[in-house]
């Protein structure tokens, strides 16, 4: 592939609902479009189980299937999808330059940042030590390994409850540890949680230490109100305490807010002209596939408008 072939009118980085929707609109809008989707295109929805709130699908949808459909739709409309990770971007040159982990350079007249978000960790040294050895940020990926065992989930939002429910398919028991006495998760998930006899709720408590030798053996938790600790005899600790924006590649190159989300105006424009951003990378509030898809659409429409303007 020559450098010339790697020039696109629009390059999209990221392959969640925002990236694919942007690709669908950009390609359908007539722009030569590339999407750099990473080694496993699909974003966070690859890690979810069932999606039942994405409009248009009467029955629950498996996240990976929805993403596969978006990928095929983007390709059918002419977007070129590359399974490469962008490792650096140069926004000081025109066209913009994006270098991937394979050392290829893609150039772009307009760029859409849609790299999403990634799971947050508590930051406890013992948690970090056991990541991949019993501490996991992905119940969908690792739940299978805990057939017949007791596991614990840390968190009280939608993800934590979904994870706890999913893990009951394998585990003999799931402890769900939440730092407050009220869950953040939506009502429907809470209903399912209450009805599941395998889940024991532990409120007002945080993860205090992960214990083990070469693998996790237990989790010590601490009640925030009483200060009392309790040791849960579990080889699996699932952390589900939210997400942080995956802005690494744009660090120092685009304006971000205090929480590292990329700042855009109401027309999806980031701080460098010709760069647009969409999806969880700009969204500290909703983090819904449908919202990400909508913002991907906006970013692509604005990018197409921008291409028209620079042609004049
Ligand atoms: P979230 O809504 O931000 O919830 C994070 C949870 O972790 C909260 O309960 C929070 O406690 C707790 N937490 C945060 N930091 C902590 C720490 N250091 N130690 C202990 N606990 C901590 O994150 P999420 O559940 O991942 O959901 C993210 C977004 O995706 C939400 O908008 C959610 O609606 C959406 N989502 C939707 C679905 C669905 O619709 N099916 C599924 C998954 C996610 P506090 O409650 O005390 O803040």
């Amino acid at each position: 592939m020559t450098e010339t072939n790697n020039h696109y009118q629009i390059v999209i980085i990221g392959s969640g609902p925002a990236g694919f929707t942007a690709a669908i609109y950009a390609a359908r809008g007539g722009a030569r479009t590339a999407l750099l989707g990473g080694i496993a295109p699909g974003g966070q929805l690859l890690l979810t189980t069932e999606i039942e709130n994405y409009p248009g699908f009467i029955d629950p949808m498996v996240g990976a299937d929805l993403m596969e459909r978006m990928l095929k739709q983007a390709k059918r409309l002419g977007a070129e999808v590359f399974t490469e990770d962008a490792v650096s971007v140069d926004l000081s040159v025109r066209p913009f330059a994006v270098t991937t982990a394979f050392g290829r350079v893609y150039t772009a007249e307009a760029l859409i940042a849609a790299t999403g978000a990634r799971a947050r960790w508590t930051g406890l040294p013992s948690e970090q030590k056991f990541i991949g050895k019993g501490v996991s940020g992905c119940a969908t990926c690792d739940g299978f390994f805990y057939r017949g065992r007791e596991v614990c989930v840390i968190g009280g939002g939608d993800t934590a409850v979904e994870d706890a429910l999913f893990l009951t398919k394998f585990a003999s028991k799931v402890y769900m540890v939440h730092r407050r006495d009220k869950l953040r998760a939506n009502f429907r998930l809470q209903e399912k949680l209450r009805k599941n006899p395998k889940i024991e709720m532990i409120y007002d408590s945080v993860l205090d230490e992960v214990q083990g030798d070469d693998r996790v053996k237990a989790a010590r938790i601490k009640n925030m109100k009483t200060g009392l600790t309790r040791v849960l005899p579990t080889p699996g600790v699932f952390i589900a305490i939210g997400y942080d924006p995956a802005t690494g590649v744009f660090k120092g190159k685009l304006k971000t807010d205090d929480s590292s989300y990329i700042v855009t105006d109401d027309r999806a424009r980031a701080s460098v002209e010709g760069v647009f951003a969409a999806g969880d990378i700009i969204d500290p509030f909703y983090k819904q596939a449908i919202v990400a898809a909508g913002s991907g659409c906006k970013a692509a429409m604005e990018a197409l408008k921008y291409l028209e303007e620079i042609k004049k």
Side-chain angles (χ1 to χ4, degrees):
M1 198 184 284
T2 66
E3 286 299 306
T4 314
N5 284 343
N6 284 356
H7 180 71
Y8 291 85
Q9 286 172 293
I10 299 180
V11 169
I12 297 154
I13 307 179
S15 57
F20 278 131
T21 307
I24 288 163
Y25 274 77
R28 200 163 179 272
R32 184 164 192 249
T33 301
L35 182 144
L36 306 179
I39 296 299
Q44 295 172 77
L45 286 193
L46 292 184
L47 307 179
T48 62
T49 44
E50 288 184 340
I51 302 165
E52 59 177 5
N53 53 6
Y54 199 88
F57 297 95
I58 297 162
D59 297 316
M61 183 82 184
V62 174
D65 292 346
L66 180 60
M67 298 321 296
E68 177 75 15
R69 281 168 180 258
M70 289 190 196
L71 182 143
K72 286 183 175 160
Q73 190 180 1
K75 281 185 169 175
R76 182 179 70 77
L77 291 165
E80 294 176 50
V81 178
F82 299 97
T83 48
E84 293 181 56
D85 280 307
V87 290
S88 72
V89 294
D90 189 346
L91 306 181
S92 66
V93 293
R94 302 296 164 121
F96 302 125
V98 182
T99 306
T100 71
F102 296 157
R104 288 204 189 98
V105 178
Y106 292 84
T107 53
E109 287 160 48
L111 193 69
I112 298 178
T115 43
R118 59 171 69 93
R120 186 182 294 157
W121 300 104
T122 66
L124 284 172
S126 58
E127 166 208 65
Q128 295 294 305
K129 177 178 162 194
F130 286 111
I131 289 174
K133 296 171 190 156
V135 170
S136 170
C138 178
T140 322
C141 320
D142 299 330
F144 177 79
F145 301 117
Y146 297 93
R147 197 172 286 279
R149 311 295 299 273
E150 295 192 354
V151 297
C152 89
V153 174
I154 311 294
D158 288 343
T159 304
V161 176
E162 277 194 345
D163 284 1
L165 290 167
F166 177 75
L167 287 165
T168 59
K169 291 184 187 177
F170 311 99
S172 56
K173 175 169 188 160
V174 178
Y175 299 96
M176 187 161 165
V177 180
H178 179 39
R179 65 182 176 184
R180 289 188 294 135
D181 61 358
K182 201 167 178 294
L183 290 170
R184 182 178 291 277
N186 71 62
F187 174 77
R188 199 166 146 73
L189 281 172
Q190 290 197 38
E191 283 285 283
K192 287 188 185 173
L193 184 81
R194 265 191 286 278
K195 287 183 189 148
N196 195 312
K198 278 188 170 180
I199 300 174
E200 178 184 331
M201 277 307 307
I202 302 176
Y203 287 110
D204 297 318
S205 300
V206 292
L207 182 65
D208 195 36
E209 188 184 52
V210 182
Q211 301 174 338
D213 35 47
D214 51 335
R215 288 195 61 84
V216 172
K217 291 228 160 64
R220 188 176 71 211
I221 56 167
K222 185 174 179 182
N223 186 298
M224 304 286 281
K225 287 188 173 155
T226 63
L228 293 176
T229 58
R230 173 178 168 190
V231 175
L232 307 175
T234 166
V237 179
F238 289 87
I239 310 292
I241 59 170
Y243 294 88
D244 292 313
T247 38
V249 81
F250 303 106
K251 211 173 181 163
K253 293 172 182 164
L254 293 175
K255 190 173 167 201
T256 55
D257 67 11
D258 292 344
S259 307
S260 297
Y261 288 92
I262 288 179
V263 175
T264 56
D265 65 8
D266 56 6
R267 290 179 54 192
R269 295 179 293 201
S271 55
V272 172
E273 200 178 302
V275 181
F276 304 83
D280 284 2
I281 197 175
I282 62 165
D283 175 14
F285 300 113
Y286 304 108
K287 299 193 191 307
Q288 300 296 303
I290 187 68
V291 176
S295 79
C297 160
K298 260 172 80 173
M301 290 178 77
E302 291 296 341
L304 289 165
K305 242 182 250 169
Y306 170 76
L307 293 179
E308 284 302 314
E309 278 161 21
I310 59 173
K311 249 198 322 201
K312 283 178 194 162

